[in-house]
Amino acid sequence: MPQKYAIKQLEPESYCHIFIEGAGGQAIFRDQADYQYFISLFSRYLDRTINRRDLGRAYPHYWRDIELAAYALMTRQLHIVAYIRQPDALQALMRSLLTSYARYFNRRHKRSGAVFSSRYKARIIPAEYVPAVSRFVHRSPRNWQTYRHSSLAFFIDTSPPGWLAPRHVAGYFATPYAYASYMEHDAEAGEWRAALKEQLAI
């Protein structure tokens, strides 16, 4: 992973932007079932209800140590904004998510080899940039206003599931309408745009 994105030491109670893309630019998600499976992994590892394998053994469980604040899953890449309580949790969660999904993807699509491009990239976000990074993530899909595979709807008009914690972003806004209005503004220009770019793991 390039040194720019290496997080040598995460501090407790910090925010992070995570980015990963398909190996060789290939698709990570080919159809609706793929998106749904990745979402089920969020639930498996981050919901407060413990999920169990077929034989009854519990899956790893990370909700006490890390919270998912926002996400966007796209054909060839994905973005996550997370709140980290326990520094070691990020690496453990990403290993669980990406390994589980790669096994599923290769099995379902009858293929072998890498699904994701090398390691994920991650960058600590100063708290004051969390709203702007969440907006960048939610606006990443081309048709972001109606896109079904991001967390945007849970910020505006849909109750969030137990594995998602939009309050980390929504707390900056008086109402869901205020966040919706914020989303409609174009990304900031000039120095602020350059400063925001420095917070992103891309």
Side-chain angles (χ1 to χ4, degrees), residues 37 39-47 49 51 59-61 100:
Y37 189 82
I39 294 295
S40 78
L41 295 178
F42 283 149
S43 177
R44 174 189 293 179
Y45 296 117
L46 291 171
D47 198 278
T49 300
N51 290 276
Y59 286 104
H61 211 227
S100 296

Side-chain angles (χ1 to χ4, degrees), residues 54-76:
D54 292 340
L55 298 179
R57 188 159 58 96
Y59 286 104
H61 211 227
Y62 305 108
W63 71 265
R64 291 184 179 87
D65 299 326
I66 185 168
E67 293 187 355
L68 180 63
Y71 68 88
L73 312 180
M74 293 174 286
T75 303
R76 292 179 172 80

Side-chain angles (χ1 to χ4, degrees), residues 154-187:
F154 300 118
F155 284 69
I156 296 173
D157 59 8
T158 304
S159 296
W163 46 264
L164 183 66
R167 66 182 180 278
H168 289 291
V169 178
Y172 286 86
F173 301 89
T175 65
Y177 175 80
Y179 186 76
S181 178
Y182 179 74
M183 283 294 303
E184 292 294 336
H185 293 297
D186 291 336

Side-chain angles (χ1 to χ4, degrees), residues 50-197:
I50 295 177
N51 290 276
R52 298 185 179 277
R53 308 169 198 264
D54 292 340
L55 298 179
R57 188 159 58 96
Y59 286 104
H61 211 227
Y62 305 108
W63 71 265
R64 291 184 179 87
D65 299 326
I66 185 168
E67 293 187 355
L68 180 63
Y71 68 88
L73 312 180
M74 293 174 286
T75 303
R76 292 179 172 80
Q77 59 186 230
L78 61 90
H79 296 267
I80 293 172
V81 179
Y83 177 67
I84 314 294
R85 288 198 181 93
Q86 171 53 248
D88 294 339
L90 177 61
Q91 183 176 352
L93 172 64
M94 294 306 296
R95 183 188 302 115
S96 293
L97 284 173
L98 301 184
T99 300
S100 296
Y101 184 77
R103 288 173 179 168
Y104 152 85
F105 187 87
N106 283 342
R107 182 175 63 251
R108 179 169 187 254
H109 296 291
K110 297 180 173 57
R111 65 180 300 279
S112 61
V115 175
F116 300 101
S117 178
S118 186
R119 287 184 60 187
Y120 62 88
K121 299 173 183 178
R123 188 109 186 197
I124 295 172
I125 309 169
E128 63 267 28
Y129 283 96
V130 169
V133 173
S134 78
R135 179 169 61 183
F136 171 86
V137 166
H138 285 147
R139 288 181 60 124
S140 291
R142 183 174 301 174
N143 54 335
W144 63 268
Q145 295 94 334
T146 58
Y147 194 70
R148 295 185 297 167
H149 309 302
S150 81
S151 54
L152 179 59
F154 300 118
F155 284 69
I156 296 173
D157 59 8
T158 304
S159 296
W163 46 264
L164 183 66
R167 66 182 180 278
H168 289 291
V169 178
Y172 286 86
F173 301 89
T175 65
Y177 175 80
Y179 186 76
S181 178
Y182 179 74
M183 283 294 303
E184 292 294 336
H185 293 297
D186 291 336
E188 292 87 352
E191 293 183 5
W192 181 260
R193 183 192 295 271
L196 173 59
K197 186 176 180 179

